[in-house]
Amino acid sequence: MFQKEERAGLIVYLYYNRDIKKVADFGDIVYHSKKRRYLQLYVPKVQAEELQKALSQEKCVKKVRPCHIQELDTNFVGSLHRNYENVII
């Protein structure tokens, strides 16, 4: 049966966009910004620190930092319905 694997996100800043192929071997690329030359990479959580150190050693990588999107609380409490009675148009 399918097992859900815990993954961690890494933000990898590149010197050149052509180097994305070299970084793709480390994990799954979710997003790549050509204008700002960075990408969001998902790797297994148990290997995240090792891969962060390995990526920072690469010549094509400018900077690597962890992605904190998994730490955000997505449990939104309350109604999203707007009350238009008090709004002046």
Side-chain angles (χ1 to χ4, degrees), residues 1-86:
M1 179 161 215
F2 179 73
Q3 294 287 332
K4 185 176 178 182
E5 183 179 357
E6 292 292 323
R7 299 190 306 165
L10 296 176
I11 304 295
V12 181
Y13 294 93
L14 302 171
Y15 285 108
Y16 301 105
N17 284 324
R18 67 176 180 242
D19 296 328
I20 190 171
K21 296 175 187 175
K22 298 175 185 175
V23 179
D25 297 334
F26 288 95
D28 298 325
I29 297 174
V30 177
Y31 179 75
H32 174 225
S33 173
K34 292 180 181 178
K35 183 177 181 181
R36 302 200 187 258
R37 291 190 307 240
Y38 78 91
L39 55 94
Q40 186 175 5
L41 183 75
Y42 276 103
V43 296
K45 199 168 196 173
V46 294
Q47 299 174 351
E49 290 183 22
E50 299 169 8
L51 289 175
Q52 186 175 358
K53 290 177 185 175
L55 279 168
S56 63
Q57 299 287 326
E58 293 287 325
K59 291 182 179 180
C60 61
V61 174
K62 188 185 296 186
K63 184 169 73 169
V64 180
R65 61 185 200 105
C67 180
H68 299 289
I69 198 161
Q70 292 93 0
E71 299 170 8
L72 293 176
D73 184 24
T74 57
N75 185 12
F76 302 112
V77 179
S79 175
L80 296 178
H81 178 71
R82 294 182 185 210
N83 186 3
Y84 289 108
E85 294 174 3
N86 297 332

